[in-house]
mmCIF file of all heavy atoms in Angstrom:
data_model
loop_
_atom_site.group_PDB
_atom_site.id
_atom_site.type_symbol
_atom_site.label_atom_id
_atom_site.label_comp_id
_atom_site.label_asym_id
_atom_site.label_seq_id
_atom_site.Cartn_x
_atom_site.Cartn_y
_atom_site.Cartn_z
ATOM 1 N N THR A 155 -29.798 -80.888 -142.800
ATOM 2 C CA THR A 155 -29.196 -80.692 -141.478
ATOM 3 C C THR A 155 -29.383 -79.233 -141.065
ATOM 4 O O THR A 155 -29.767 -78.387 -141.873
ATOM 5 C CB THR A 155 -27.689 -81.027 -141.488
ATOM 6 O OG1 THR A 155 -27.043 -80.227 -142.494
ATOM 7 C CG2 THR A 155 -27.446 -82.499 -141.797
ATOM 8 N N THR A 156 -29.101 -78.944 -139.792
ATOM 9 C CA THR A 156 -29.069 -77.554 -139.324
ATOM 10 C C THR A 156 -27.845 -77.384 -138.434
ATOM 11 O O THR A 156 -27.065 -78.331 -138.263
ATOM 12 C CB THR A 156 -30.345 -77.168 -138.533
ATOM 13 O OG1 THR A 156 -30.326 -77.806 -137.261
ATOM 14 C CG2 THR A 156 -31.607 -77.557 -139.290
ATOM 15 N N ALA A 157 -27.698 -76.234 -137.824
ATOM 16 C CA ALA A 157 -26.535 -75.997 -136.970
ATOM 17 C C ALA A 157 -26.548 -76.864 -135.722
ATOM 18 O O ALA A 157 -25.496 -77.148 -135.155
ATOM 19 C CB ALA A 157 -26.478 -74.523 -136.575
ATOM 20 N N ASN A 183 -32.929 -77.094 -144.071
ATOM 21 C CA ASN A 183 -31.508 -77.437 -144.228
ATOM 22 C C ASN A 183 -30.669 -76.189 -143.954
ATOM 23 O O ASN A 183 -29.747 -75.864 -144.691
ATOM 24 C CB ASN A 183 -31.262 -77.955 -145.646
ATOM 25 C CG ASN A 183 -29.871 -78.512 -145.838
ATOM 26 O OD1 ASN A 183 -29.422 -79.378 -145.096
ATOM 27 N ND2 ASN A 183 -29.179 -78.024 -146.860
ATOM 28 N N ALA A 184 -31.017 -75.500 -142.887
ATOM 29 C CA ALA A 184 -30.481 -74.165 -142.635
ATOM 30 C C ALA A 184 -29.037 -74.177 -142.148
ATOM 31 O O ALA A 184 -28.618 -75.086 -141.433
ATOM 32 C CB ALA A 184 -31.343 -73.460 -141.606
ATOM 33 N N LEU A 185 -28.304 -73.117 -142.483
ATOM 34 C CA LEU A 185 -27.007 -72.881 -141.841
ATOM 35 C C LEU A 185 -27.194 -72.594 -140.362
ATOM 36 O O LEU A 185 -26.364 -72.950 -139.536
ATOM 37 C CB LEU A 185 -26.304 -71.693 -142.499
ATOM 38 C CG LEU A 185 -25.432 -71.963 -143.722
ATOM 39 C CD1 LEU A 185 -24.870 -70.650 -144.256
ATOM 40 C CD2 LEU A 185 -24.309 -72.922 -143.409
ATOM 41 N N GLY A 186 -28.296 -71.933 -140.026
ATOM 42 C CA GLY A 186 -28.595 -71.580 -138.653
ATOM 43 C C GLY A 186 -29.349 -72.685 -137.926
ATOM 44 O O GLY A 186 -29.291 -73.862 -138.304
ATOM 45 N N SER A 187 -30.086 -72.289 -136.892
ATOM 46 C CA SER A 187 -30.729 -73.252 -136.006
ATOM 47 C C SER A 187 -32.210 -72.952 -135.825
ATOM 48 O O SER A 187 -32.610 -71.781 -135.741
ATOM 49 C CB SER A 187 -30.042 -73.241 -134.633
ATOM 50 O OG SER A 187 -30.717 -74.072 -133.722
ATOM 51 N N ARG A 224 -25.281 -69.542 -134.185
ATOM 52 C CA ARG A 224 -24.864 -70.932 -134.306
ATOM 53 C C ARG A 224 -24.924 -71.305 -135.779
ATOM 54 O O ARG A 224 -25.974 -71.190 -136.405
ATOM 55 C CB ARG A 224 -25.777 -71.848 -133.490
ATOM 56 C CG ARG A 224 -25.481 -71.826 -131.997
ATOM 57 C CD ARG A 224 -26.520 -72.596 -131.199
ATOM 58 N NE ARG A 224 -26.088 -72.824 -129.834
ATOM 59 C CZ ARG A 224 -26.089 -71.898 -128.880
ATOM 60 N NH1 ARG A 224 -26.504 -70.679 -129.162
ATOM 61 N NH2 ARG A 224 -25.683 -72.183 -127.653
ATOM 62 N N LEU A 225 -23.793 -71.749 -136.310
ATOM 63 C CA LEU A 225 -23.708 -72.134 -137.713
ATOM 64 C C LEU A 225 -23.088 -73.516 -137.824
ATOM 65 O O LEU A 225 -22.243 -73.885 -137.008
ATOM 66 C CB LEU A 225 -22.843 -71.144 -138.505
ATOM 67 C CG LEU A 225 -23.291 -69.693 -138.575
ATOM 68 C CD1 LEU A 225 -22.284 -68.888 -139.378
ATOM 69 C CD2 LEU A 225 -24.675 -69.580 -139.196
ATOM 70 N N LYS A 226 -23.480 -74.245 -138.850
ATOM 71 C CA LYS A 226 -22.827 -75.544 -139.066
ATOM 72 C C LYS A 226 -21.554 -75.398 -139.879
ATOM 73 O O LYS A 226 -20.890 -76.394 -140.157
ATOM 74 C CB LYS A 226 -23.793 -76.536 -139.702
ATOM 75 C CG LYS A 226 -24.405 -76.109 -141.010
ATOM 76 C CD LYS A 226 -25.481 -77.114 -141.439
ATOM 77 C CE LYS A 226 -26.206 -76.692 -142.678
ATOM 78 N NZ LYS A 226 -27.309 -77.594 -143.040
ATOM 79 N N GLY A 227 -21.192 -74.177 -140.238
ATOM 80 C CA GLY A 227 -19.963 -73.937 -140.972
ATOM 81 C C GLY A 227 -20.159 -72.880 -142.039
ATOM 82 O O GLY A 227 -21.222 -72.277 -142.144
ATOM 83 N N VAL A 228 -19.140 -72.647 -142.819
ATOM 84 C CA VAL A 228 -19.200 -71.689 -143.916
ATOM 85 C C VAL A 228 -19.013 -72.447 -145.224
ATOM 86 O O VAL A 228 -18.151 -73.312 -145.353
ATOM 87 C CB VAL A 228 -18.102 -70.608 -143.765
ATOM 88 C CG1 VAL A 228 -18.115 -69.667 -144.958
ATOM 89 C CG2 VAL A 228 -18.309 -69.824 -142.472
ATOM 90 N N ASN A 229 -19.866 -72.127 -146.197
ATOM 91 C CA ASN A 229 -19.797 -72.766 -147.510
ATOM 92 C C ASN A 229 -19.986 -74.286 -147.395
ATOM 93 O O ASN A 229 -19.236 -75.069 -147.978
ATOM 94 C CB ASN A 229 -18.471 -72.448 -148.206
ATOM 95 C CG ASN A 229 -18.550 -72.700 -149.703
ATOM 96 O OD1 ASN A 229 -19.637 -72.738 -150.271
ATOM 97 N ND2 ASN A 229 -17.409 -72.877 -150.329
ATOM 98 N N VAL A 230 -20.999 -74.670 -146.614
ATOM 99 C CA VAL A 230 -21.312 -76.089 -146.440
ATOM 100 C C VAL A 230 -22.771 -76.321 -146.796
ATOM 101 O O VAL A 230 -23.430 -75.465 -147.370
ATOM 102 C CB VAL A 230 -21.035 -76.544 -144.993
ATOM 103 C CG1 VAL A 230 -19.561 -76.478 -144.685
ATOM 104 C CG2 VAL A 230 -21.817 -75.697 -143.985
ATOM 105 N N THR A 231 -23.271 -77.516 -146.436
ATOM 106 C CA THR A 231 -24.645 -77.858 -146.781
ATOM 107 C C THR A 231 -25.625 -76.844 -146.214
ATOM 108 O O THR A 231 -25.642 -76.584 -145.023
ATOM 109 C CB THR A 231 -25.004 -79.250 -146.260
ATOM 110 O OG1 THR A 231 -24.853 -79.257 -144.844
ATOM 111 C CG2 THR A 231 -24.104 -80.300 -146.863
ATOM 112 N N ALA A 232 -26.441 -76.260 -147.063
ATOM 113 C CA ALA A 232 -27.318 -75.185 -146.608
ATOM 114 C C ALA A 232 -28.572 -75.088 -147.469
ATOM 115 O O ALA A 232 -28.681 -75.740 -148.498
ATOM 116 C CB ALA A 232 -26.561 -73.851 -146.633
ATOM 117 N N THR A 233 -29.512 -74.251 -147.009
ATOM 118 C CA THR A 233 -30.696 -73.784 -147.719
ATOM 119 C C THR A 233 -31.984 -74.420 -147.189
ATOM 120 O O THR A 233 -32.086 -75.637 -147.054
ATOM 121 C CB THR A 233 -30.617 -74.013 -149.229
ATOM 122 O OG1 THR A 233 -29.546 -73.244 -149.761
ATOM 123 C CG2 THR A 233 -31.890 -73.589 -149.933
ATOM 124 N N THR A 234 -32.953 -73.575 -146.924
ATOM 125 C CA THR A 234 -34.302 -73.993 -146.554
ATOM 126 C C THR A 234 -35.237 -73.620 -147.695
ATOM 127 O O THR A 234 -35.247 -72.465 -148.134
ATOM 128 C CB THR A 234 -34.732 -73.322 -145.235
ATOM 129 O OG1 THR A 234 -33.865 -73.773 -144.191
ATOM 130 C CG2 THR A 234 -36.170 -73.658 -144.888
ATOM 131 N N PRO A 266 -29.634 -67.713 -137.498
ATOM 132 C CA PRO A 266 -30.123 -66.691 -138.433
ATOM 133 C C PRO A 266 -30.697 -67.332 -139.697
ATOM 134 O O PRO A 266 -30.502 -68.522 -139.936
ATOM 135 C CB PRO A 266 -28.856 -65.893 -138.755
ATOM 136 C CG PRO A 266 -27.751 -66.896 -138.606
ATOM 137 C CD PRO A 266 -28.158 -67.842 -137.525
ATOM 138 N N LEU A 269 -28.882 -66.278 -144.982
ATOM 139 C CA LEU A 269 -27.450 -65.986 -144.958
ATOM 140 C C LEU A 269 -26.831 -66.052 -146.354
ATOM 141 O O LEU A 269 -27.441 -66.562 -147.296
ATOM 142 C CB LEU A 269 -26.752 -66.968 -144.023
ATOM 143 C CG LEU A 269 -27.029 -66.747 -142.529
ATOM 144 C CD1 LEU A 269 -26.540 -67.942 -141.726
ATOM 145 C CD2 LEU A 269 -26.361 -65.468 -142.042
ATOM 146 N N PRO A 270 -25.586 -65.562 -146.510
ATOM 147 C CA PRO A 270 -24.946 -65.570 -147.830
ATOM 148 C C PRO A 270 -24.807 -66.959 -148.443
ATOM 149 O O PRO A 270 -24.773 -67.080 -149.664
ATOM 150 C CB PRO A 270 -23.575 -64.947 -147.552
ATOM 151 C CG PRO A 270 -23.785 -64.068 -146.380
ATOM 152 C CD PRO A 270 -24.784 -64.783 -145.527
ATOM 153 N N PHE A 271 -24.717 -68.017 -147.611
ATOM 154 C CA PHE A 271 -24.591 -69.364 -148.161
ATOM 155 C C PHE A 271 -25.864 -70.175 -148.015
ATOM 156 O O PHE A 271 -25.883 -71.373 -148.305
ATOM 157 C CB PHE A 271 -23.405 -70.091 -147.525
ATOM 158 C CG PHE A 271 -22.078 -69.514 -147.940
ATOM 159 C CD1 PHE A 271 -21.315 -68.786 -147.051
ATOM 160 C CD2 PHE A 271 -21.619 -69.680 -149.234
ATOM 161 C CE1 PHE A 271 -20.107 -68.239 -147.442
ATOM 162 C CE2 PHE A 271 -20.408 -69.138 -149.635
ATOM 163 C CZ PHE A 271 -19.640 -68.414 -148.732
ATOM 164 N N ASP A 272 -26.946 -69.571 -147.547
ATOM 165 C CA ASP A 272 -28.275 -70.169 -147.663
ATOM 166 C C ASP A 272 -28.832 -69.815 -149.040
ATOM 167 O O ASP A 272 -28.394 -68.849 -149.668
ATOM 168 C CB ASP A 272 -29.215 -69.603 -146.586
ATOM 169 C CG ASP A 272 -29.053 -70.277 -145.232
ATOM 170 O OD1 ASP A 272 -28.989 -71.521 -145.202
ATOM 171 O OD2 ASP A 272 -29.006 -69.570 -144.215
#
Side-chain angles (χ1 to χ4, degrees):
T155 56
T156 72
N183 188 54
L185 272 178
S187 175
R224 282 172 167 76
L225 299 179
K226 57 187 175 184
V228 176
N229 199 21
V230 294
T231 60
T233 296
T234 297
L269 288 168
F271 291 108
D272 278 314

